[in-house]
């Protein structure tokens, strides 16, 4: 390996620059050149393959700051179509001309699916990232358990389902215990709960806070750190009567209730409450943006106005129950120590895997109660089902207590190693030093894109 290409794909997460930084540091030590492709796979569709040399003279470029959120090389939800052989030939040809010996893609399950056709043409490795924490396996043979069932409403005539497994679930067996980005996202959602609580408490209201995660409940689960009263996850169909019972109990006791719901929560029939449209994004994901509002409608209907009027705690149920989405603040901004550190380790491991001659591999973050966290290389095919598809990881049901609507004992055991020391002292100090810097008022925002633009090179001019 003399020259490796690196790209960031899918939605941005806080620790992308940290992963790139880890890869650059390792590449410098091994005297390997690292080229960053602009806007993810999108760069490959441009005959000029816009890219940035990230380590000229084996020194990191100064624009690469591992403490900054986002990605200095940009990202997109464009993926390579495995059926377009002509396009794949063109891409391979361009990368060869650019002297690329291997590719590192930083991404999630969509990126790993999109990487497969390229892996058949040149060595590729994935360094995981996603705030949803849905890239991985709850146990090594989980991918084999996916089955296709006929579904006339699906365009292809079938859909995939995953039946509850008999496999013993052991935290030490999880493949890719946690993905960089998750810890920072959970810090934001937990803080969001703390802040909204004061309003709910002061005004005797019921707040529903919607968090991201798609069909996976990990972000909702971790938001337990903000001490919400009820957490609803997509892995357990909504039992509205049980939720109403619990809301009544809590509201009678403390006169305010805070509910966290994952954006992908489903009703008893398995329909997503938040699927406001059947449209999908380019990676094939259903757009989810109405879970909290749909839940609110159900609570308003079931609790009714009289319940609030009885104790003069609001004129109407509509007035008493409100929703907020944490939204993209979960994905943005400075990564906290846990994410930065392990993102860099994974970036470094990705370089090593390519140097060791691995192809179609994933750098994974493993956890063992005896050893703590460590990085390893894992065969990407082990993430694929029997048809070759990679599915987003669901939160294992054992991590959640459906009665209490909170993390189970095992869920708490899962969260502790990630979060106990997740925030570094520099993270707290950063806020103190930067937010109210007088310069922020006078200076316009300076985008990293402005600087990186000056470094972009093109295939035919390199
Ligand atoms: O995949 C990460 C994620 O944060 C999801 O949880 C969320 O639904 C989605 O991205 C939203 O991204 P966007 O609105 O930017 O497409």
């Amino acid at each position: 390996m003399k020259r490796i290409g690196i790209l960031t794909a899918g939605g941005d997460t806080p620790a992308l620059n940290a992963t790139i930084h880890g890869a650059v540091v390792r590449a410098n030590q091994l005297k390997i050149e690292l080229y960053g492709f602009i806007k993810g796979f999108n760069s490959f569709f441009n005959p000029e393959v816009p890219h940035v040399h990230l380590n000229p003279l084996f020194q990191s470029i100064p624009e690469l700051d591992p403490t900054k959120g986002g990605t200095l090389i940009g990202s997109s939800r464009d993926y390579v179509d495995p059926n377009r052989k002509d396009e794949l030939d063109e891409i391979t040809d361009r990368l060869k001309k650019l002297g690329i010996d291997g590719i590192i893609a930083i991404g999630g399950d969509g990126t790993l699916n999109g990487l497969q056709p390229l892996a058949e043409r040149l060595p590729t490795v994935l360094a995981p990232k996603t705030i949803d924490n849905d890239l991985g396996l709850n146990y090594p043979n989980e991918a084999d358990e996916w089955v296709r069932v006929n579904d006339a409403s699906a365009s292809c005539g079938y859909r995939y389902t995953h039946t509850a497994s008999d496999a013993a679930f052991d935290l030490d067996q999880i493949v890719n215990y946690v993905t960089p980005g998750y810890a920072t996202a959970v810090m934001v959602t937990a803080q969001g709960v703390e802040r909204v609580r004061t309003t709910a408490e002061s005004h005797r209201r019921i707040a529903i806070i919607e968090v991201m995660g798609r069909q996976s409940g990990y972000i909702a689960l971790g938001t337990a750190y903000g001490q919400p009263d009820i957490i609803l996850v997509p892995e357990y169909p909504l039992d509205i009567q049980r939720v109403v019972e619990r809301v009544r109990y809590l509201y009678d006791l403390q006169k305010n209730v805070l509910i966290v719901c994952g954006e992908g929560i489903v009703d008893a029939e398995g329909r997503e409450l938040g699927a406001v449209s059947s449209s999908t994004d380019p990676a094939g994901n259903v757009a989810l943006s109405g879970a909290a509002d749909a839940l609110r409608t159900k609570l308003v209907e079931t609790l009714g106005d009289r319940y609030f009027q009885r104790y003069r705690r609001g004129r109407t149920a509509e007035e008493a129950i409100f929703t907020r989405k944490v939204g993209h603040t979960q994905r943005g901004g400075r990564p906290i120590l846990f994410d930065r550190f392990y993102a860099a380790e994974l970036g470094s491991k990705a370089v090593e895997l390519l140097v060791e001659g691995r192809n179609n591999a994933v750098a994974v973050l493993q956890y063992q109660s005896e050893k703590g966290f460590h990085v390893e290389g894992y065969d990407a095919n082990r993430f694929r089902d029997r048809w070759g598809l990679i599915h987003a990881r669901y939160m294992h049901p054992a991590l959640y207590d459906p009665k209490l609507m909170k993390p189970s004992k095992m869920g708490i055991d899962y969260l502790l190693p990630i979060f106990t020391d997740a925030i570094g002292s520099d993270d707290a100090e950063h806020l103190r030093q930067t937010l109210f810097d007088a310069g922020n008022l006078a200076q316009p925002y300076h985008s990293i894109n402005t600087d990186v633009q000056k470094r972009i090179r093109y295939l035919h001019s390199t």
Side-chain angles (χ1 to χ4, degrees):
M1 289 278 152
K2 289 217 157 48
R3 187 174 290 165
I4 290 174
I6 192 164
L7 60 87
T8 45
D12 67 309
T13 55
L16 294 171
N17 286 327
T19 312
I20 299 172
H21 192 259
V24 167
V25 169
R26 194 71 186 116
N28 290 344
Q29 289 163 350
L30 299 170
K31 298 282 176 282
I32 294 170
E33 290 183 313
L34 205 61
Y35 281 11
F37 296 114
I38 300 296
K39 277 182 34 200
F41 289 105
N42 187 285
S43 171
F44 295 169
F45 301 117
N46 182 337
E48 299 299 317
V49 200
H51 60 276
V52 172
H53 189 178
L54 294 166
N55 62 343
L57 303 173
F58 305 113
Q59 305 272 328
S60 167
I61 58 170
E63 290 85 354
L64 177 55
D65 178 351
T67 68
K68 281 241 152 56
T71 161
L72 89 162
I73 48 178
S75 187
S76 67
R77 292 198 193 268
D78 294 321
Y79 297 101
V80 179
D81 183 346
N83 302 316
R84 292 279 313 273
K85 195 182 163 298
D86 53 331
E87 205 170 67
L88 278 161
D89 288 343
E90 278 169 15
I91 292 171
T92 318
D93 184 51
R94 285 170 198 151
L95 293 176
K96 272 208 181 113
K97 282 196 184 123
L98 201 56
I100 298 295
D101 299 318
I103 291 181
I104 296 171
I106 307 171
D109 59 310
T111 311
L112 192 51
N113 271 322
L115 210 54
Q116 173 68 17
L118 282 176
E120 283 156 21
R121 288 155 183 262
L122 83 166
T124 63
V125 167
L126 183 103
K129 68 89 204 175
T130 163
I131 63 162
D132 299 342
N133 198 24
D134 59 358
L135 177 78
L137 302 167
N138 287 312
Y139 35 87
N141 66 336
E142 193 177 27
D144 302 335
E145 295 174 352
W146 285 92
V147 289
R148 275 180 183 174
V149 292
N150 294 336
D151 182 351
S153 65
S155 54
C156 51
Y158 57 81
R159 63 189 162 78
Y160 292 90
T161 68
H162 177 259
T163 39
S165 170
D166 294 339
F169 178 54
D170 174 352
L171 295 179
D172 284 7
Q173 297 278 309
I174 297 178
V175 178
N176 205 33
Y177 194 88
V178 57
T179 46
Y182 173 65
T184 306
V186 166
M187 179 192 73
V188 175
T189 58
Q191 282 182 327
V193 170
E194 277 180 2
R195 286 181 183 274
V196 172
R197 170 74 79 178
T198 57
T199 299
E201 219 163 28
S202 306
H203 296 273
R204 300 191 174 5
R205 295 178 81 186
I206 297 173
I208 307 172
I209 301 187
E210 181 180 315
V211 299
M212 286 184 172
R214 298 194 193 281
Q215 284 80 11
S216 171
Y218 280 104
I219 296 184
L221 187 84
T223 308
Y225 277 103
Q227 295 187 295
D229 301 302
I230 294 175
I231 296 175
L232 301 173
V233 293
E235 288 78 1
Y236 283 84
L238 180 69
D239 179 342
I240 192 69
Q241 285 315 325
R242 189 192 283 271
V243 174
V244 166
E245 245 170 62
R246 187 90 187 125
V247 165
R248 278 180 193 272
Y249 169 78
L250 289 161
Y251 195 75
D252 288 346
L253 178 74
Q254 60 193 29
K255 302 169 189 65
N256 69 90
V257 183
L258 213 137
I259 305 171
V260 164
C261 75
E263 63 183 351
I265 54 169
V266 295
D267 63 18
E269 279 74 48
R271 285 184 304 249
E272 279 144 347
L273 265 67
V276 287
S277 75
S278 58
S279 70
T280 57
D281 72 8
N285 294 304
V286 176
L288 299 166
S289 61
D293 287 339
L295 179 61
R296 175 175 179 266
T297 306
K298 283 185 190 292
L299 285 183
V300 166
E301 278 167 14
T302 326
L303 284 167
D305 293 346
R306 285 209 39 217
Y307 176 67
F308 296 95
Q309 287 159 358
R310 202 166 34 145
Y311 301 114
R312 298 167 56 80
R313 285 181 194 134
R315 280 190 296 271
T316 61
E318 293 259 359
E319 196 184 82
I321 309 173
F322 70 110
T323 63
R324 286 296 175 267
K325 275 184 207 163
V326 185
H328 285 73
T329 55
Q330 283 159 99
R331 283 210 329 224
R334 189 179 195 276
I336 57 175
L337 180 66
F338 181 91
D339 281 340
R340 285 199 313 271
F341 183 81
Y342 289 109
E345 294 264 295
L346 288 164
S348 167
K349 185 70 185 175
V351 172
E352 281 170 16
L353 291 171
L354 283 175
V355 171
E356 284 164 16
R358 298 279 295 268
N359 179 21
N360 205 4
V362 183
V364 291
L365 181 54
Q366 297 299 100
Y367 177 77
Q368 241 111 58
S369 31
E370 303 279 289
K371 285 181 16 191
F373 285 103
H374 61 281
V375 290
E376 273 179 21
Y378 207 77
D379 179 1
N381 276 332
R382 297 187 66 186
F383 287 92
R384 297 180 205 287
D385 71 10
R386 62 193 87 168
W387 297 277
L389 197 70
I390 289 156
H391 300 271
R393 171 172 66 188
Y394 286 91
M395 182 202 72
H396 194 283
L399 301 182
Y400 179 78
D401 181 333
K403 259 196 175 150
L404 281 178
M405 295 182 252
K406 296 244 173 115
S408 61
K409 161 84 177 63
M410 203 175 209
I412 292 172
D413 289 345
Y414 171 77
L415 295 169
L416 287 176
I418 305 171
F419 291 98
T420 302
D421 294 313
I423 299 181
S425 52
D426 64 314
D427 294 324
E429 184 58 17
H430 173 81
L431 174 71
R432 202 181 69 80
Q433 287 192 10
T434 62
L435 187 64
F436 294 134
D437 183 334
N440 292 350
L441 297 174
Q443 300 297 325
Y445 178 70
H446 183 83
S447 174
I448 188 81
N449 294 343
T450 317
D451 295 331
V452 169
Q453 181 65 34
K454 296 167 196 164
R455 289 191 178 270
I456 295 181
R457 297 192 201 168
Y458 299 91
L459 175 59
H460 294 109
S461 55
T462 30

